[in-house]
Amino acid sequence: MANHQDETRAAYDGVVELYASLFANRLESQPFARSMIGTFAELVRATGNARAVDVGCGPGHLTAMLNELGLDAFGLDLSPGMVDHARRAHPTLRFQEARMESLPIEDGALGGVLAHYSMIHTPPDELPVLLAEQVRVLAPGGLLLVSFFGTDGPEPVRFDHKVTPAYSWPADRLADLMTDAGLTPCTRLLHDPASERGFLDAHLLARRP
């Protein structure tokens, strides 16, 4: 796991300012993703535990959005460059460098985990480890929202993402992994191709029983 994470960290460290300029306001033109995050925040608030983490937070724009939606959210990212940018862009919020397979969070502490396109660079055989870690930090009744590139095929597809290699996933396969990790998938949204490659924008929402 270390090798590809080291490569991913270095790749994102090299594009911090460009990435932030391209994506910090992107949800303004993505109503489906915006609505899923809003729904996620509403359901997390309804659990009575508003603590949430934005894993793979990048420049921190979604961490800020979660706070605006009433959550006590903080951001974690593998890239120290992204964490530094997020701290400068959102000085009142909390950001920390961390690896997704070992989150610096106590067991059962959170009402919500947001993983917005943050696991797309993880090889398929390593994804169950990340999902298990996200389940570990969720309180019973807590929610996980995973957003990713979807594909209609039967298997994950590796492709050349503009920053570093990534994978698209069949929604059914990823939902099965979430179930295997101990979650109950409750909502999915697949919509128009997200890029010239023809992938779908995909969002899966699941709850820890």
Side-chain angles (χ1 to χ4, degrees):
M1 186 174 291
N3 287 341
H4 87 80
Q5 288 201 358
D6 291 344
E7 293 170 2
T8 299
R9 180 176 57 243
Y12 276 94
D13 275 346
V15 296
V16 171
E17 298 305 324
L18 175 61
Y19 186 92
S21 69
L22 291 174
F23 290 97
N25 296 315
R26 189 172 180 182
L27 285 193
E28 292 179 1
S29 61
Q30 295 188 340
F32 293 112
R34 195 168 62 245
S35 67
M36 283 297 292
I37 293 172
T39 299
F40 164 77
E42 181 176 348
L43 292 174
V44 171
R45 292 197 310 270
T47 70
N49 181 355
R51 291 188 66 198
V53 64
D54 177 10
V55 293
C57 65
H61 55 299
L62 295 186
T63 313
M65 181 179 178
L66 292 178
N67 278 275
E68 291 167 1
L69 290 169
L71 299 186
D72 177 17
F74 59 99
L76 302 175
D77 202 277
L78 179 66
S79 161
M82 287 291 183
V83 169
D84 180 66
H85 179 97
R87 287 171 174 166
R88 287 185 283 108
H90 308 284
T92 64
L93 303 182
R94 294 165 290 153
F95 298 96
Q96 181 179 342
E97 185 181 348
R99 300 172 77 99
M100 280 193 285
E101 78 276 13
S102 55
L103 299 175
I105 304 167
E106 59 271 27
D107 294 354
L110 304 182
V113 175
L114 175 67
H116 188 81
Y117 291 91
S118 57
M119 296 191 288
I120 62 172
H121 305 295
T122 303
D125 61 345
E126 296 177 9
L127 198 62
V129 174
L130 304 192
L131 290 171
E133 182 69 351
Q134 291 163 7
V135 172
R136 179 187 68 78
V137 303
L138 278 174
L143 293 123
L144 168 65
L145 175 59
V146 178
S147 299
F148 57 100
F149 294 111
T151 180
D152 290 327
E155 300 293 335
V157 176
R158 188 179 187 273
F159 67 95
D160 291 328
H161 185 274
K162 291 181 179 179
V163 179
T164 190
Y167 298 84
S168 64
W169 276 84
D172 286 341
R173 285 287 302 277
L174 191 50
D176 287 344
L177 289 184
M178 294 169 81
T179 299
D180 291 344
L183 295 164
T184 302
C186 53
T187 305
R188 69 174 64 184
L189 174 62
L190 306 175
H191 58 95
D192 292 341
S195 73
E196 67 276 5
R197 300 181 184 91
F199 296 139
L200 300 173
D201 275 330
H203 313 272
L204 289 176
L205 182 65
R207 187 183 296 273
R208 179 178 177 181

